[in-house]
Amino acid sequence: MPYVLSVSPDFTPKHIAGWYVFNTWLQRQTELAFHLELYDSFSQQREAIAEDKIDLIYANPYDAAMLVREKGFVALAAPLSKADETIIACHQQAPIENIEALQQGLKIVTTDDPDVHLMGMMMLEPADLNANNTDIQQMDSYVLVAKQLLQHNADIGFFLKDAYYDLSHLIRNELKVLMTSEIFIIRHILLAGPKLQPYHQQLQSLLMNMQHDSKGADVLKAMGLTGWEQQTQEDTEFMIDLMDTL
Amino acid sequence: MKLNYYDGTDRVVTIIDQEIPFPDGRLIVSRTDTKGVLTHYNQSFIDMSGYSNEELMGQNHYILRHPDMPRAAFKDLWDTVQQGNKWHGYVKNLRKDGSYYWVYAVVIPNIRKGKIVGYTSVRRKPSRKKINEIIPLYAQMLAKEGESLCPTF
Ligand SMILES: Cc1cc2nc3c(=O)[nH]c(=O)nc-3n(C[C@H](O)[C@H](O)[C@H](O)COP(=O)(O)O)c2cc1C
């Protein structure tokens, strides 16, 4: 049975191929069998985690608590200088200038991306808005979130910052950024499960050296990353604590 | 104005009635040991406090205490987190120059291997409406505390 690698379903579509290349690279480097399993939604992926079907996961910080504290996962690395930040945007011509001016009954478009949604809702608190006094619609992708804004079907949308800047110029020209989070410490992490325990160290040193090796650097590029950095157990515990306060 | 702290120390501060707005999109994060002594904080924490990194490290968290804050609020905070629970509330904080900033704070115990090893506070931009509701409430609490401290004859 191969070990199963999975990626948080919020990865940017243009990097899917990169994760397959990473899977192949990993097999060559470790001489272990890995199989990449992708899920369409966070709920499907969480089911698989609950059934212990995943051994290595590039996880959304929102899921880190469950993976570490309930499933015994350990962080191997974090993507180099890459944090998850949230953008709140509206239609270019919308008469909205700042968050505090937003009113109850606001129509929000979002995705099932859990950390971005959490940050987005938090950024609305200064306007006294929450799930009870707004109308929240969940879309399958950030492109669809943008479309809803362009078609005036919603007032504001939540975007992962990277995904927002992956939208075409044409689309972005029709949108207006109202606020960007600058939290810095909320980020995805690569976590390994109990079955991979004997290989944690080997995997960690491979990842740390990846950017210094020309093949490894190409693989990283295909994944949209520049490298990996150390993520200690305490770094992970702290991020989980932080998520818990949001 | 003289501020007295729980550990018997005091200091004199000048209070300025000027509010500094909470920076948009940011979180003000700090960690303390089990006694409330600062061990980690982020750049937003430094920026908003008005102190330098060197001035803050190793200080007790009460360096931010504003005299308009009732003691009962912090007693509730400490009672809650020492029992291993999450506390949240609105806090008016004092800056080095005597001006202030309002936050919505969540404080949690950092539990490692079943033991509380410290506390983390994450503060975010509060709703103005909530602040306006809490101001008279805190003033009332403060007045009561004043009475019990120096009873009138
Ligand atoms: C993690 C943590 C964060 C705290 N943050 C603040 C703060 O931002 N402002 C503040 O006045 N007190 C804060 N406190 C409470 C202080 O430790 C202290 O109890 C308070 O300032 C009142 O001072 P006193 O205990 O001397 O009366 C914090 C405590 C903890 C454990």
Side-chain angles (χ1 to χ4, degrees):
Chain A
M1 279 276 280
Y3 294 104
V4 173
L5 162 69
S6 193
V7 181
S8 159
D10 55 4
F11 60 81
T12 35
K14 69 175 184 192
H15 297 126
I16 297 183
W19 284 99
Y20 281 98
V21 180
F22 177 67
N23 190 71
T24 308
W25 177 86
L26 208 56
Q27 303 202 74
R28 289 232 176 92
Q29 299 288 321
T30 57
E31 295 182 354
L32 297 172
F34 278 95
H35 164 72
L36 177 64
E37 187 76 48
L38 297 176
Y39 297 87
D40 289 336
S41 71
F42 279 91
S43 55
Q44 284 170 25
Q45 189 176 58
R46 286 187 197 123
E47 252 170 59
I49 296 167
E51 292 164 8
D52 299 321
K53 286 181 175 164
I54 293 174
D55 304 301
L56 186 62
I57 180 169
Y58 186 64
N60 187 285
Y62 188 90
D63 288 334
M66 178 257 295
L67 285 158
V68 170
R69 294 192 176 161
E70 289 165 35
K71 288 291 176 181
F73 277 66
V74 172
L76 296 181
L80 194 63
S81 342
K82 190 180 168 76
D84 290 4
E85 300 291 358
T86 297
I87 281 183
I88 298 184
C90 64
H91 193 286
Q92 178 64 43
Q93 272 132 33
I96 308 172
E97 291 310 327
N98 62 63
I99 298 292
E100 264 116 325
L102 296 172
Q103 299 289 327
Q104 296 200 359
L106 184 79
K107 283 192 175 153
I108 303 169
V109 260
T110 185
T111 60
D112 72 342
D113 191 347
D115 65 335
V116 170
H117 185 72
L118 199 65
M119 289 187 263
M121 290 308 289
M122 187 182 77
M123 291 198 282
L124 295 181
E125 285 173 357
D128 247 318
L129 297 174
N130 55 55
N132 297 323
N133 60 16
T134 54
D135 171 4
I136 303 173
Q137 257 191 72
Q138 202 181 81
M139 299 289 127
D140 285 337
S141 72
Y142 288 114
V143 173
L144 293 177
V145 169
K147 273 213 178 118
Q148 290 296 95
L149 295 177
L150 296 189
Q151 293 167 358
H152 300 280
N153 291 332
D155 301 312
I156 60 156
F158 297 157
F159 295 87
L160 175 69
K161 187 177 170 186
D162 286 355
Y164 184 84
Y165 288 103
D166 272 348
L167 295 171
S168 73
H169 276 288
L170 217 61
I171 294 182
R172 262 186 293 140
N173 282 341
E174 296 294 313
L175 297 174
K176 176 165 72 178
V177 173
L178 287 171
M179 193 182 282
T180 305
S181 72
E182 292 175 288
I183 296 174
F184 307 113
I185 35 184
I186 296 181
R187 53 185 188 168
H188 279 60
I189 39 180
L190 188 68
L191 295 159
K195 270 187 262 168
L196 278 171
Q197 166 79 43
Y199 305 105
H200 282 184
Q201 268 193 336
Q202 184 194 358
L203 287 166
Q204 226 158 12
S205 64
L206 279 172
L207 294 165
M208 293 308 137
N209 288 319
M210 199 170 171
Q211 73 201 89
H212 306 300
D213 164 271
S214 72
K215 272 228 181 71
D218 286 344
V219 176
L220 283 165
K221 201 168 160 212
M223 297 155 79
L225 304 180
T226 54
W228 297 99
E229 57 189 323
Q230 293 261 343
Q231 170 90 3
T232 65
Q233 186 66 15
E234 182 51 33
D235 291 338
T236 308
E237 292 284 351
F238 180 58
M239 192 177 76
I240 293 171
D241 280 347
L242 185 113
M243 294 299 293
D244 194 27
T245 69
L246 301 186
Chain B
M1 180 165 198
K2 194 164 114 180
L3 296 182
N4 298 299
Y5 299 113
Y6 81 100
D7 54 8
T9 61
D10 58 49
R11 74 178 169 127
V12 175
V13 294
T14 318
I15 303 299
I16 315 174
D17 189 20
Q18 187 194 354
E19 178 165 6
I20 306 298
F22 193 107
D24 277 329
R26 297 207 174 203
L27 296 176
I28 300 178
V29 183
S30 64
R31 292 178 74 173
T32 72
D33 64 12
T34 50
K35 298 204 167 60
V37 174
L38 285 164
T39 54
H40 303 72
Y41 35 81
N42 68 355
Q43 190 59 43
S44 302
F45 183 89
I46 302 175
D47 294 346
M48 286 305 277
S49 75
Y51 292 95
S52 69
N53 185 13
E54 292 70 31
E55 287 172 309
L56 286 170
M57 190 47 83
Q59 284 285 346
N60 195 291
H61 226 306
Y62 59 50
I63 191 168
L64 301 182
R65 194 184 121 223
H66 197 283
D68 289 352
M69 282 298 295
R71 277 180 196 277
F74 295 118
K75 179 166 188 314
D76 183 46
L77 181 163
W78 278 102
D79 288 350
T80 307
V81 296
Q82 280 175 340
Q83 282 167 24
N85 298 318
K86 200 190 293 191
W87 182 88
H88 55 91
Y90 296 89
V91 180
K92 184 177 186 174
N93 272 331
L94 181 66
R95 289 163 52 91
K96 185 183 182 184
D97 67 1
S99 57
Y100 65 91
Y101 58 100
W102 276 102
V103 301
Y104 172 69
V106 181
V107 184
I108 57 160
N110 303 125
I111 300 172
R112 305 287 181 265
K113 300 193 173 84
K115 266 183 58 186
I116 298 179
V117 298
Y119 302 99
T120 297
S121 174
V122 177
R123 305 146 185 103
R124 45 215 224 215
K125 188 168 189 163
S127 123
R128 186 47 46 183
K129 192 170 145 238
K130 298 272 166 52
I131 295 301
N132 291 337
E133 284 167 14
I134 209 102
I135 289 173
L137 210 72
Y138 280 173
Q140 248 176 37
M141 287 164 70
L142 202 65
K144 268 209 191 117
E145 288 173 5
E147 279 165 27
S148 60
L149 275 179
C150 33
T152 40
F153 295 99

